[in-house]
Amino acid sequence: MHCPSFDRPIYRLVILLRHAVGTQPASKTVKKMTKKRIETKISRTAEWTCLSRAASSLEKNSHYRSNDHLALLLVPTLLSLSLRISLFRKIFSRFMAPKGIYEYTTARTRYIDSVFRQVLADGFEQVLIFGAGFDTRALRFEAEAGRTRIFELDVPTTQQAKIKQYKKRGLPTPANLEFVPVDFDRESLPSVLAEAGFRCGAKSFFLLEGLLMYLQQESVDETFRVIAELSGRDSIVAFDYIRMSAIRRPESCYGGTELFRAVEKVGETYSFGIEDGELELFLRKYGLSLSEKLRAMDLEQRYFTDSSGRTVGRVNETHCIVKASKT
């Protein structure tokens, strides 16, 4: 992640962390933007996710540890070295991040890793990662992928920064990985995917991690219609979303106020959410059936509960994670 927005590590660290706790005032440029920041600059939420994954890969506490060791290679050297200091990680995770978001990101990474590995083991023909950001699963699970083709879709700015860093760090791109630049709000997904070589009707895994909340309703609808059109029987979709009740009243959720403030400060906006109790209705519109839904309390029970039953980490309550299958 040593890319244009991280060109001065010390400065970027201060700005990034101040954004996270909502103390950095929004600039006039951000306030006057007519285009989303994510369209023209590298997504700061993608940077934050990468930084969180890098930190969690170093945790000694197994509840907090994920396995994205490659994330450390995508952050600036100074940050990488700093994250190796346990006190710095503690400050970063407990005091610099919105409440519970470090725990959420860690749990989400661990859960999606498990789903990703399972679909590879089951011989799925294709994987599509929408809004891939600094996702490294194509590299981390290369040995397990076999002939499974992996397509990474993202806005050009973030994707080019990632490719640049891969080259700089000497990380070879697997032969089965295809980078596909796309503007989710403006381009036709069927055309983009067809041009990239995605095969319609194949058993596929579709991953939308940390993406839907930034799209407009019509873009979400188009994305899921494309998934319905292109996916074969028994295909799997995994995604996370913001609860609509959290968008209306962030203060009603643990960590909600801090999270929404932080996202607003970096010029990115939560545009889409799903009402509580309407998830299955949403999925049925696209021929999908719910396999699993994980709320904050479910993630705490699965990943942050010790052998005595004590909760060792509290997860931000604004998000839910979903796994669904095509019937």
Side-chain angles (χ1 to χ4, degrees), residues 120-161:
L120 294 180
D122 290 342
F124 277 49
E125 185 172 325
Q126 302 170 134
V127 172
L128 263 72
I129 306 177
F130 292 79
F134 296 98
D135 187 296
T136 64
R137 293 182 178 95
L139 275 66
R140 287 192 287 127
F141 303 135
E142 180 180 6
E144 301 163 64
R147 296 183 178 180
T148 301
R149 295 192 67 189
I150 299 175
F151 299 82
E152 290 194 4
L153 310 180
D154 210 337
V155 293
T157 47
T158 299
Q159 191 168 86
Q160 285 303 313

Side-chain angles (χ1 to χ4, degrees), residues 45-298:
T45 52
E47 291 176 338
W48 179 264
T49 299
C50 183
L51 194 58
S52 295
R53 288 171 175 164
S56 68
S57 72
L58 295 167
E59 294 284 4
K60 304 299 183 183
N61 186 328
S62 61
H63 296 289
Y64 277 85
R65 187 170 60 248
S66 64
N67 295 311
D68 193 352
H69 60 284
L70 293 181
L72 276 171
L73 300 179
L74 299 182
V75 300
T77 301
L78 179 60
L79 277 176
S80 178
L81 294 173
S82 299
L83 288 174
R84 296 176 189 277
I85 303 172
S86 59
L87 178 60
F88 181 88
R89 290 199 306 275
K90 183 177 181 179
I91 294 172
F92 166 73
S93 62
R94 297 189 183 182
F95 303 108
M96 298 297 186
K99 292 178 181 177
I101 205 65
Y102 182 67
E103 286 80 0
Y104 174 73
T105 303
T106 299
R108 184 180 67 182
T109 298
R110 293 177 64 182
Y111 176 75
I112 292 177
D113 275 2
S114 67
V115 176
F116 203 98
R117 299 183 75 166
Q118 187 60 56
V119 300
L120 294 180
D122 290 342
F124 277 49
E125 185 172 325
Q126 302 170 134
V127 172
L128 263 72
I129 306 177
F130 292 79
F134 296 98
D135 187 296
T136 64
R137 293 182 178 95
L139 275 66
R140 287 192 287 127
F141 303 135
E142 180 180 6
E144 301 163 64
R147 296 183 178 180
T148 301
R149 295 192 67 189
I150 299 175
F151 299 82
E152 290 194 4
L153 310 180
D154 210 337
V155 293
T157 47
T158 299
Q159 191 168 86
Q160 285 303 313
K162 177 180 183 177
I163 293 172
K164 179 180 178 180
Q165 192 66 355
Y166 274 9
K167 292 178 179 178
K168 180 177 180 179
R169 297 296 188 180
L171 297 173
T173 301
N176 65 329
L177 173 59
E178 186 76 28
F179 291 110
V180 185
V182 63
D183 183 329
F184 291 97
D185 277 332
R186 297 180 180 179
E187 293 187 275
S188 167
L189 283 179
S191 299
V192 171
L193 290 173
E195 186 176 346
F198 186 81
R199 198 169 78 83
C200 179
K203 187 177 180 181
S204 307
F205 173 47
F206 300 86
L207 175 58
L208 305 94
E209 181 181 9
L211 172 65
L212 295 187
M213 56 286 294
Y214 298 104
L215 301 183
Q216 300 298 318
Q217 173 68 55
E218 57 269 24
S219 296
V220 173
D221 183 63
E222 171 65 16
T223 298
F224 275 87
R225 289 187 185 280
V226 168
I227 291 174
E229 176 185 343
L230 297 181
S231 57
R233 185 176 178 82
D234 297 325
S235 290
I236 291 176
V237 183
F239 63 93
D240 62 335
Y241 68 91
I242 293 283
R243 298 164 53 214
M244 186 59 77
S245 58
I247 293 179
R248 285 194 298 267
R249 296 182 60 241
E251 71 279 3
S252 67
C253 304
Y254 173 72
T257 299
E258 296 90 340
L259 177 61
F260 278 71
R261 183 188 300 128
V263 170
E264 180 182 355
K265 293 298 183 183
V266 297
E268 298 179 13
T269 305
Y270 289 146
S271 304
F272 174 80
I274 298 177
E275 294 283 2
D276 295 335
E278 295 188 5
L279 174 61
E280 293 191 68
L281 176 63
F282 170 82
L283 293 173
R284 282 200 297 270
K285 290 194 301 182
Y286 310 106
L288 299 170
S289 61
L290 180 63
S291 301
E292 190 170 29
K293 173 186 173 181
L294 297 174
R295 300 162 296 174
M297 65 179 70
D298 302 313

